[in-house]
Amino acid sequence: MILNSRKAKWLGTVAVGSALAIALAGCGRDDGGSGGGDDGGSSPGITDEEITLGITTPLSGATAGPGNCTVAGLVAYMGERNDEGGIEFGDGKTRTVDVQAWDDAYDPQKALQNFQQNSGDVFAFTSGLGTPTNRAYRDAAIDEEVPQVLVQTGDPIFSDQAESPWQLGFVPTYMNEGAAFGELLAESGDDLTVAILSQNDDYGEGYVEGFKEAIEGTGVEVVKELTYEATDPSVDPQLTQLADTEADVFFNAMSITPLVISSIEKTRELGWSPSWFLPSNTSSPVAILGPAKADPEDGFYSVSFAKAPQSPAYADDEDVTTFLESLETYSGDYTTTPDFPHCMWSYMVGATLDQAFQNMEEPTRESFMEALRSVSDLQAPLMLDGTAVDTTEDGQPAVSSLVVQEYNGNGYETVDSLG
């Protein structure tokens, strides 16, 4: 089942070149702003030989698994390109790419500090995980005119050019994913009951909003809805209440890996066996469903736009084999096993940046943003059939097309219906 926001309302190291200051006439910046370069013609973080990218992301703590993947895939992709001699930019210069990553432990204050300490030395920030952490330095990035792009959050504010002129999200919005789940249920034509547990922030709210919009006016009924805090050590009390409903479906909008695993274990202990809907970032067969001993007979659904290396269907896929070899070769400081989809996503981020660099006519952040917003129908490595990178539509992230999939005990298979 392929969903695309352009057709439906909700479907919406490695060496790097020096960055250039946006010192263009009329930009209204003070001479001392971080967008300015010493020569007045290029932005910080880019030279004729190298461009430097920065990532603030959780490399420790409960979200360290996906956080390390947000760096590993990008490092792998750029490692390949650097070994080939670098990327030929639109200004005719060939540059290598240096990726610098800093741990924020999913703490917004640390993310802001990482930005403040490094924004003058990197050309752009990219790929980092998390809504609260990316939001923490969004205003500062706008004030300093520093690109904060292809970040791994489904918060739609990052793809709204009026609200976020120096930002762009990469992954589908939370509403996109929630709508995909809802549409699958709605299209079943069955009268189904749903229990919801969501994170008490923009992440959880977005999933629930998209889901409810999609099921409105159908035979799908939400019978109980609870929230949790991302800092909660356990959600057992909420699960006990939700299990009492005996709902047919459990819509579990959670971002914390250990809590998802314990939720699967707890519902089994309670004797509740609903069909599950899991967000794309917390549905890993290797890191979540396997350790939780999830029973595929219960029905575990998620959405994706990336090939899963763990799936036997991609054992001989050229994209997958190249990706795995590159992870092994270049990404040992982060991870060489793509246990989370963020590894594949950040590899695609690399391909998208590559395309933008090739179209970037001047070594400035402004020229980069123009080039980045002109990428259309890019079949980045690892993309599933029916999905593509398209940055040209205001209000949508770089990827808004999704495929609904069901867990088969090893990986996921694309499905068109429930059950």
Side-chain angles (χ1 to χ4, degrees), residues 173-309:
T173 67
Y174 303 138
M175 289 81 77
N176 293 155
E177 291 202 16
F181 295 152
E183 289 185 7
L184 188 70
L185 295 186
E187 291 173 5
S188 72
D190 296 331
D191 293 332
L192 298 168
T193 55
V194 181
I196 297 176
L197 179 59
S198 61
Q199 195 162 293
N200 188 27
D201 58 13
D202 293 328
Y203 173 93
E205 291 170 4
Y207 274 100
V208 174
E209 182 181 353
F211 178 76
K212 287 184 174 179
E213 280 283 327
I215 65 171
E216 186 175 356
T218 72
V220 181
E221 178 188 4
V222 176
V223 292
K224 197 169 190 65
E225 181 177 351
L226 298 175
T227 63
Y228 78 100
E229 302 297 330
T231 54
D232 287 348
S234 170
V235 291
D236 285 0
Q238 293 97 316
L239 292 170
T240 300
Q241 293 183 57
L242 294 171
D244 287 341
T245 67
E246 299 183 349
D248 302 311
V249 177
F250 182 23
F251 184 87
N252 187 22
M254 303 177 75
S255 72
I256 309 301
T257 298
L259 291 181
V260 179
I261 294 173
S262 63
S263 294
I264 295 171
E265 295 170 335
K266 183 63 176 179
T267 55
R268 185 166 58 244
E269 176 188 321
L270 293 168
W272 182 34
S273 301
S275 294
W276 286 67
F277 283 104
L278 296 172
S280 59
N281 65 326
T282 46
S283 59
S284 168
V286 174
I288 294 177
L289 298 182
K293 296 180 172 59
D295 184 352
E297 294 298 319
D298 289 341
F300 285 83
Y301 297 85
S302 190
V303 293
S304 183
F305 56 90
K307 296 173 183 176

Side-chain angles (χ1 to χ4, degrees), residues 23-41:
L24 301 177
C27 68
R29 298 182 55 85
D30 294 334
D31 291 343
S34 70
D38 291 339
D39 61 4

Side-chain angles (χ1 to χ4, degrees), residues 92-247:
K93 304 289 177 60
T94 297
R95 298 177 173 89
T96 54
V97 181
D98 178 29
V99 179
Q100 300 289 325
W102 305 282
D103 183 17
D104 59 38
Y106 207 67
D107 181 331
Q109 186 58 41
K110 289 182 180 178
L112 176 59
Q113 290 173 357
N114 287 341
F115 174 83
Q116 292 171 331
Q117 292 168 5
N118 298 287
S119 61
D121 299 319
V122 303
F123 183 76
F125 282 75
T126 188
S127 197
L129 171 68
T131 297
T133 44
N134 277 297
R135 270 187 173 259
Y137 70 96
R138 184 183 70 93
D139 286 345
I142 295 170
D143 289 344
E144 297 183 26
E145 297 182 353
V146 178
Q148 180 189 12
V149 296
L150 306 180
V151 287
Q152 297 194 29
T153 168
D155 189 335
I157 196 171
F158 289 91
S159 301
D160 184 324
Q161 292 185 33
E163 292 283 346
S164 304
W166 290 91
Q167 282 73 24
L168 179 63
F170 183 71
V171 297
T173 67
Y174 303 138
M175 289 81 77
N176 293 155
E177 291 202 16
F181 295 152
E183 289 185 7
L184 188 70
L185 295 186
E187 291 173 5
S188 72
D190 296 331
D191 293 332
L192 298 168
T193 55
V194 181
I196 297 176
L197 179 59
S198 61
Q199 195 162 293
N200 188 27
D201 58 13
D202 293 328
Y203 173 93
E205 291 170 4
Y207 274 100
V208 174
E209 182 181 353
F211 178 76
K212 287 184 174 179
E213 280 283 327
I215 65 171
E216 186 175 356
T218 72
V220 181
E221 178 188 4
V222 176
V223 292
K224 197 169 190 65
E225 181 177 351
L226 298 175
T227 63
Y228 78 100
E229 302 297 330
T231 54
D232 287 348
S234 170
V235 291
D236 285 0
Q238 293 97 316
L239 292 170
T240 300
Q241 293 183 57
L242 294 171
D244 287 341
T245 67
E246 299 183 349

Side-chain angles (χ1 to χ4, degrees), residues 365-387:
R365 289 166 170 166
E366 183 174 76
S367 180
F368 166 70
M369 290 301 297
E370 291 175 357
L372 180 64
R373 293 192 187 279
S374 65
V375 177
S376 178
D377 196 31
L378 173 65
Q379 302 300 305
L382 300 176
M383 296 209 81
L384 291 168
D385 290 343
T387 67

